Amino acid sequence: MTTITTTDNKLKRLARSVRIPPVYIFLVVVFLVGGILDQILSDGQIFTNPLILLNIIVRSVALGIVAVGQTLVIIGASIDLSVAYTISITAIMSSYIMQGKTENVLTAIVGVLAIGIAIGLVNGLIVTKLKVNPFIATLGTSLIIKGIINASFSNYTGSVPKSFEFFGYGMVGPIPVSIIILLLIVFIGWFLLSRTQFGAHLYGVGGNVEVARLSGVRTDRVLIGAHIFCSMTAVISGLFLVSQMRAGAPWVGPNGIFDLNSIATTVIGGTALSGGKGGVWGTLAGVLIFGILDTTFNQLGVNPYLKSVFQGVIIVLAVASYTIRSKKDAA
Amino acid sequence: MKKNLLFVVSLIIVLTMVLTACANTPVETEAPVVEEPEAPVATEAPAAEEPAAEEPVVAANPGLQMEQAQVAMQFWSDEEFAKQMELMSAAPLNPDDPIYLQYLEESPTDITQYPQYADFAAKAPPYNICFSNAGVNNPWRVVGYIDMREQVEQYRTEGLVKNFIHLDAQGNDAKQIADIQDIINTPGKCDLLIVSPNTSEALTPIVEKACEVMPVIQFDRYTQTDCPVVSERSIGGYAFGISGANFIVENLPEGGNVLAFRILPGVDVLEHRWGAARKIFEQNPQINVIGVEFVGYDSFKANTVVSDYLAKYGTIDAVWMDAGGTAVTILEAFKDNEAAYPKVMVGEDQQDYLQYIKDNNILGIAPVFATYQWRTAVIAAVKFLQGETVQHHWYLPQPEITPENLDQYINPAMPPLHYAMCGCEDMTNYPDAWTTPDINKYKDVID
Amino acid sequence: MTTTTASSAKEINQILGKIWNGVRRIPPVFPIFLLIFIILGFLNPKGYQTMNGIMTFFRPAAPLAVLAIGEMLVLAMGGFDLSIGAIVTMVVLASSKLLANDPEKALPAILIMIGIGILIGLINGLVVSFLKVPSFITTLGMMLLVRGATLYYIGGAPQGYLTDNWRQFGRNYIQDVPFFVKIPYALIVLLVLGLIFYILFHRTNYGKQVLAIGDNMRAAQLSGVRVKLIRVVTHILCSVLAVLGGILVGGYGGVNVTIGEGMEMQAIAACVIGGVLLGGGKGNVINVAFGAFTLQAIVNLLNQLGLPKPYTDVIQGSIIIFVVAYSALSSQRKR
Amino acid sequence: MTDKQEIIQEESNVKPLLEVRCITKKFPGVQALDDVSLQFYSGEVHAVVGENGAGKSTLMKILAGAYTPDSGDILLDGVKVSFSHPSEAQHKGISIIYQEFNLLPERTVAYNIFLGREPTKAGVIDIRKMNRDAKEVLKEIGIDKIISPTAVVSSLSVAEQQLVEIAKAISFKSQVLIMDEPTAALTYTEVNLLDNLIKRLKTRGMAIIFISHRLIEVFAIAEKITVLKDGKLVGTVMTKDVNPEQLVQMMVGRELDHYFPPLGQPEDFGEVVLSVRGASNQLIHDISFDLRKGEVLGVAGLQGSGRTELAQALFGVEPFKTGTLTINGKTSKFRQPYFAIKNRIGFVTEDRKSEGIFSRQPIRDNMLLTIRSIRNMFGLIHKDGTLRDRKIVPTLGNQLDIRTSSYDRDVQFLSGGNQQKVVLAKWLASNAKIFIFDEPTRGIDVESKASIHDMIRGLAKQGTAILMISSELPEVIGMSDRILVMADRTLMGELPAKASEEEIMLMATGHKKIGNSAETSAVGKE
C-alpha cells in the first residue's frame, strides 16, 4: 500500500517538475485537425498508420536536436544564428574524415565535436567578452563559417561507411534509432536545465544577468557553456543528417533553414526570446508541430508552399498566446 | 580596455590562421583520390592523373583553378563521357515513336524480371503512382511538372491512373528522405514510385530502401544506385556540356576569354555538364577560362558577376552555362555595362533566350536537357506496371538548338520562360496549360 | 600685442581641438568605406576613379541601401524586421506574374505591390503592438508567410518576365549627364528616398519619437508618445521601403526564385556597420546608406584581389563583429 | 567629530568583526570614496547615512565585492581579505540586499534564494533539500506561512518579493548583512516585521549595516550612525547621543532652517480644474475628488494602497473604466498619456530613471519630447526644436541648473542628479497646468529635497494645480494644502492642511472614513 502511494507521489512530483507546457494543447489541436482533414480528404494514414506517426518524429529529429541547443541559448537571453552552418561544417567534415571507412568514425566524431566546441566557444566569447549583441555575433560567425566552408568545399566530400547509417536509418525493435537519440538529447537538455546548477544559473543569466552576477554566478562561463552546448547539438544534428545522406555537402544546413526554424520552434514552445523562461519540452512540441504540418500537407497533396504560410501564422499565434496577456509591451 | 583590444586582435589573427589553413584544404581533398584506388567509381584513376598532366594548361586558365571549377571524383567517368559523346550523334532506335519515347540504346526490361515485385505485376489498372519531387522551384521544373501532370490527366481519362501523389521536397534533401520514408511506411498506397532526386548522393540510401518494397523509376538527376527499374533522361549532362563547349571552341578559333556559370554543385547532371566542358576547354589551350561561378538561378548575382569580370578583364568573348536560367540576364548585363555582347553564347531552350539571341543577332547555341523526360517517367511507369517492355537505362534523344534550326523552335505564342523542347505539343490541353501555368490546380487523389 | 597672439594661439588651439573632436566623432563607417574605395581605385583606376566607374558601382549598391534605411527605422525603434527579404521576393515574383509581359501593367503592378507592402507593415505593426509578440518573431512569421504565399501564388517558379519599363528603375542609367557622365536611376531613387527619410527621421517629430521608443519604451509612452501608432507607422514605412527596394533589386537582377533571400540579414549588417544599435535608440540614414555601400565595396574589393567569392562572407562577418565590438567596448570605456 | 569616533573606539574593547582601512575609490571624474576607515561590530546595527553621491552605495558595493577599491584594506575578523567577485564576499560571510530589484521573476522562491549555490547531490540539484532549506529560511524570518518555496516570484506582490530578497540574504548564514534601503518598498507592518527580524539577527551576533534615507527608521533601528559626505567620512556617532537635527547638520554641513516652503493662502486657490466622480478601473475603485488651480493636493497612503495607480489612471496609463473625469469643465477620457498631455497634464513619475530618461538621446531631445509627441507627427522640426521652441532648452537648462558642456550630449553622460533635472525639464517644457508628482523626493538628498519643494510650491503659486503623492508623511503634511488618504485601492477620505501624522495613519489603515470628497473639499476651502 505504502509503496503504491510513494510511486504515485513520485509520478505526481515528476509530472509537476516536468510541467507540461501549454503548447501541448496546441500540438494536440494541430494533430487532430491534421488527422481529421487527412481522414476526410485523403486515406487517413495519420490516425491509422503508426509508422507514419513515427515518421513525423523522425522527420523532426534533425531540427529537434538543434532546437534543444537553441532553447538553452535563448533561455540564456542569447541567440545562435550559426547553427545552420555548424551543421554543414559537421556534415562535410565528418564525411571527409570518415572517407567511407568504419575505423575513421571515432576520429571523425571527435573531430567534429571539437569543431563544435570551438564554434560555440568563439560565439560565447564574442558575446560575453566583446559584448557584441548575440544576433550580430552569431550572424557574423555564421558568415565566417559559411565562407570557410564554401572556400574549401563546394560539393559532396568523402562519404560515411554503411555502418554509420545505423544512426540515421537503424531501428531498435520498432523504434528508429534517430527517435531515441532525439529523446536522449531532449532529456539531456531537460536534465541540464532543471537538475543542474548550470541550468539554474542559465535561467539566472537569461532572467537578469546582473542579479545572477551578484548572486555569485559566473555569468560569462554559463553563457559560453550554453553556446558550446548549442553548437554541440548542431554537430549531433549534422552527424545525423550525414548518416542519412551518406555524404556531407555544404548546403545541408542552410537548405534545412535550421537557424530560423530552430528559433521558431523554440519560441512556439514557450521559451521567451528575452530569456529566463521556457524549457525543452515545449520546444519538442514546437518541433513536432512542424513535423505534423509536413506530413499533413504531404497527405493532403497541397502545395507545400502553403505550409510555410501556416508555419508563419502558427509562430505568431503561438507566441501571441503567451504574450497577449502580459502587461509589458514587446520590443 | 587594453585586454579587450588584445582579445580582438588575437581573434582576428586566429581567424586569419583558420582561413589560410582552410584555403589549403582543396589541395588536401584531392590527395585521397590518388591514395584510394578502391573508391566506389572504378574509372577514377585517369581522373586522378589529370591534375598533374594538365598543370601548364591550368596555369593559363585562372578559372579552372578555382574551387568552383573542381570536379569531384564521384561525378566523373571517362567511360560515360565517351559514351555520351557517341550517343550525341546516334540515331534513335525507334524513330517512328514520338521523341519522348525514343531511345538511343537498347536495354529492355519489364516487370517479369523483378520477381520481388510480383504483387505489383498482378495489379490491374487504374494504378496509383507516387512522385517524390526535388522541387518545382525553377522554370524548367515547372514546365516539366506540367508535362507530367497533363500526361497523368490523359491517363486518368483513359482509366489507367487513379491517384498521383505528389510530394514536393522544396529543394531539401532531408525532407525528400522523410517524404520517401512516408511512402515506404504506407504499403499499398502506391504501385510505383517516381523519384526526381534533389541531389545524387543524399538520396541514394533511401532510394535503395524504397526499391526493396516497390518498383522505382528515377529520372532527371540520378541517385548512385541501379536499383530503379527505369532510369530515364535525355542523354545527359556530359552531352549538354560538350555541346556548349564545342560550340565555343569551334566559333572562337583564335581563342579568347570564357566565363563559365554554374547553377549549383552536387547535382550529377549539372556536375557532368561542367566536367565535360572542363575537359574540352582543357583540350583547347587557346581557350582561356577566366572564371567559374555558382550563381544558382539568382539573376542578381549573375548580373554582379558579369560586372565584376568585365571590370577585371575588359572583354569576355564567350559565356558557357550549365543551365540557361539566367542567360538573358547575363546578356542584359553586358548591355547594361556597355560592353559588347559575347561573341559566342551558350544558353538553354528557354523561349526568352532564343528570342533574345535572334533579336540581337548573337551567335548562340541552346543545348537541351529535355523537359519531355518528365512525361516519359509517367509513361514508363504505366507501361512497366502493365508488363510492357521499357528501357532500363533509357537514353532519350537530346537535340540541340543551333543557329541553323533556331527559327523552328521560337514560338512567340508561348511565355518567355517556356522551354521549347517540352514534347507537349500533342497533348490535349496544349497550349493553354503551358501558357498560363498553374501547378496548384492538379488533384492528387481522385474519388 | 602679446595678449592678442596668445589669444589667437588659444583660438587656434580651440579650433584644432574642435576639429579633433569632430574627427573623433566621425562614425567608423566612413573611414572604412573610404579606405576600401581608395584601395579599389589603386587596383582598378578605370573602374573606381572615373565617374563612369563610380556610377556603375552605385547601381547594385543602391537597392541594398534602400532596404537598409527601412530596416534602420525598425532597428532604431528597438525592433527587428526579418520580413523585408521575403517582401523583395514577393515584389519581384508576384510582379512577374501580374505583369504578364505587358508593359502597360507596370504602374498598376507597382501600386498593387506598394499596397500589399503597406498591408504587410500594418499587420506586422498591429501584431507587435496589440498581440505583444516580439517583432523578431512577428516578422519571422511574416517572412515565412509572405514567401510561402508568393511561391504558392506563382506556383513555385517564376512564370513571366518583368517588362523593361518596370525594370528601368533598377537597371538603366540616365545617359550623357554633364560631369557625372551617367547616373543610374537606382541612385536617383536612393537619393530621393534618402532625402525624404533623412528629413523624416532626423527632422520631424516622428523620427524623434521612434528613437525615444527604441531608447526607453515605457518612458516614451509616459511622455505622450503614441507607441502603438508610431510602431505601426514605422513597420509600414519599412515594408514600403522594402517594396521600393525590391523594385530596384528586380530591375537590376531580373526574375528568379532565390532573389531576396538573405537580404534582411544583409540589410541588418549594413545598418550595424552604419552604427545602428540593435536594441534601439541610435540610427542615422546617411551612415546606414554608407554601410550598404561598404558591404558592396567589400564584394568588389575581393573580386579585384582575385580572392574567391566565399571570402566575401568571411570578411563581411568579421567586419560586422568588429564594428559592433569596437563600439560596444568603446562605449563601455566612456562610462 | 573625530574625538567622538576615538571615544567609541576606546569604549569598545572587543575586536571589530569587519573593518575597512583607508579605502579610496575613484570613478572617471568623481572621487567616490576618499580615505574612509570604519569598524563594524557583531551584534550591532550600524547605519550609514549621507546625501546622494556621498559614497554610501560605493562603500557597500566594495564591502560586498561588487567593486574593488583603488587602495585600502578590508579586514574580516582581523584578517585582510579582498574580493574579486560578490560570490567571494558571500562565501566569506558578507551578504547584501541591494536597492534595486534583485530577483528572477520567472523562477521559484527556492531557486531565487539559492541561486548560485544550489545544494547538489552528485552534481545534481537536490530540489527537495533546496525547497526544505528555503522553507527553513522563510520560517526563520516568519514568513513561511505567507510565501511558499515553490511559488514563482512573479506571482508575489512587490512587498513579498522584497521579503524573499531579505530571506535570500539571510540564507547565506552571514556574519555581516548589508541592507541598502531595504524598506523602500515595504508597508508599515512589513517594516515592523523587518525590525523584529533585525533584532533577532542582532542577538545572533550578526553585524548589520543599514543604509537609509528615512531618518526616523535609522533612529529606531540603529545603535551607531556613520555619516559620509562627498566620499569622505564625516564621523560616527552613537544614536543615543544625537538628535535628527544634528544628524542632518552633519550630513549637509549646515543647519537647515526650514524644511518646507509656506503653504498656499486661500486667495491662491482658483476654480476646480480636475474633478473625478465615482471612477474605477481594474486596479482602483470609487475615486471622487476635486483639484483646484493653485493648490498642492497631497496623496498619502500605505504602499499598495493604490496611490501610484491613481496617478496612472488620471494620466491615461491605466485609464478609468467607469465614472467621470472632468478637466477644465470638459468630461474627458484619456486612453493613453498622449491625451493627458494634450490636456496639459504632466506626470513626474516615481522611478525617474527607468520611466523618464532616454539615455542614448541628446539632452535637447529628452527635454523636447513631451512637446513633440503631441504635435503633428510628421511636422518638421529644426535641429534645436521647432523654431518657436528654440529658446525652451537653454531657458529650462539655466533655470534648473543642468550642468553640461552642450545640450547635444547624450543624457547617459550626465550625473544622476543632472539626469533627474532633465526629466523635470521635460515636464516643465510641456507647460502643463496640472502636475502629478509621484514621490518627488524619493532617493534625493536633503538639500535637493528643499529645492524640489520650493519648485513645486512655485508652480502652484503660478496657478498650476498639483497632485503630490508621497509616502513620507512629513512631506505630505509640510507641503499639502489638502490631503487625500488612500487605503485598499480606494480613497478613504480627505484631511485639511497640517493634519497630524496620527490622523493620516488612522485613515490610511482603514479606520475612519470622513464623508465623501465633495463635502470634504469644502473643509479644505476654509
Side-chain angles (χ1 to χ4, degrees), chain B residues 259 261 295 298-311 314-316 319 321 326-342 345 356 360 362, chain C residues 52 56 59-60 161 164 167 170-173 175 182 250-254:
Chain B
L259 180 57
F261 285 91
V295 294
D298 189 338
S299 39
F300 190 95
K301 219 191 236 169
N303 203 331
T304 316
V305 168
V306 172
S307 309
D308 290 350
Y309 277 89
L310 279 173
T315 60
I316 297 170
V319 171
M321 304 184 69
T326 50
V328 172
T329 320
I330 286 168
L331 289 172
E332 282 171 348
F334 278 86
K335 189 179 164 201
D336 294 349
N337 281 286
E338 288 154 4
Y341 286 122
M345 181 71 197
Y356 197 96
N360 293 284
I362 296 165
Chain C
N52 195 355
T56 311
R59 193 174 57 134
Y161 237 58
D164 284 339
R167 286 187 61 185
R171 188 179 163 201
N172 294 355
Y173 296 95
Q175 299 289 355
K182 60 177 185 181
Y252 179 76

Side-chain angles (χ1 to χ4, degrees), chain D residues 181 183-188 191 213-214 216-217 260 298-308 350 437-443 449 453 468-478 480 483-486 501 504-505 508:
Chain D
E181 297 234 42
T183 56
L186 295 190
T187 64
Y188 285 85
V191 169
H213 278 111
R214 296 185 181 175
I216 304 167
E217 221 166 73
F260 298 103
V299 179
L302 303 180
Q303 182 79 25
S305 60
R307 297 170 312 192
T308 300
E350 173 180 357
F437 285 95
D438 193 1
E439 302 283 4
T441 60
R442 163 158 298 176
K449 265 184 188 176
H453 289 148
M468 189 193 79
I469 296 167
S470 176
S471 53
E472 293 194 27
L473 290 183
E475 182 172 75
V476 174
I477 296 163
S480 307
I483 300 166
L484 297 176
V485 183
M486 291 194 75
E501 291 198 21
I504 297 174
M505 278 313 300

Side-chain angles (χ1 to χ4, degrees), chain D residues 310-322:
Chain D
L310 171 65
Q312 290 183 341
L314 290 174
F315 200 61
V317 183
E318 284 291 341
F320 287 124
K321 294 269 190 284
T322 57

Side-chain angles (χ1 to χ4, degrees), chain B residues 1 4-5 8 11-12 15 19-20 22-24 66-68 136-142 146 170 293 295-301 303-305 307-312 314 325-326 328-329 332-333 335-338 350 352-353 356 414-417 435-440, chain C residues 44 46-48 52 56 59-60 63 97 101 151-161 164 167 171-173 175 182 248-260 263 296 299-300 303-311 314-315 318 321-322 325-326 329-330 332-333:
Chain B
M1 183 57 203
N4 285 327
L5 203 72
V8 176
L11 192 82
I12 290 169
L15 282 175
L19 273 181
T20 39
C22 287
N24 294 330
M66 295 167 82
E67 173 62 27
Q68 297 96 300
V136 200
N137 44 16
N138 64 50
W140 186 82
R141 302 193 76 84
V142 170
I146 288 172
Q170 298 177 286
E293 299 286 352
V295 294
Y297 289 92
D298 189 338
S299 39
F300 190 95
K301 219 191 236 169
N303 203 331
T304 316
V305 168
S307 309
D308 290 350
Y309 277 89
L310 279 173
K312 203 168 165 197
T326 50
V328 172
T329 320
E332 282 171 348
K335 189 179 164 201
D336 294 349
N337 281 286
E338 288 154 4
Q350 249 177 333
D352 64 338
Y353 167 73
Y356 197 96
M414 298 308 280
L417 297 177
T435 47
T436 50
D438 179 5
I439 64 164
N440 298 326
Chain C
N44 185 347
K46 193 175 144 272
Y48 298 96
N52 195 355
T56 311
R59 193 174 57 134
K97 185 162 177 178
N101 307 312
L151 290 174
Y152 182 79
Y153 171 66
I154 63 152
Q159 303 187 337
Y161 237 58
D164 284 339
R167 286 187 61 185
R171 188 179 163 201
N172 294 355
Y173 296 95
Q175 299 289 355
K182 60 177 185 181
L248 299 185
V249 171
Y252 179 76
V255 186
N256 67 78
V257 229
T258 49
I259 205 157
M263 275 200 159
Q296 179 66 36
V299 177
N300 291 17
N303 179 55
Q304 282 298 327
L305 293 172
L307 281 169
K309 291 240 175 274
Y311 287 108
V314 179
I315 304 288
S318 310
I321 292 178
F322 175 79
Y326 173 80
L329 295 178
S330 62
Q332 203 177 35
R333 182 185 44 180

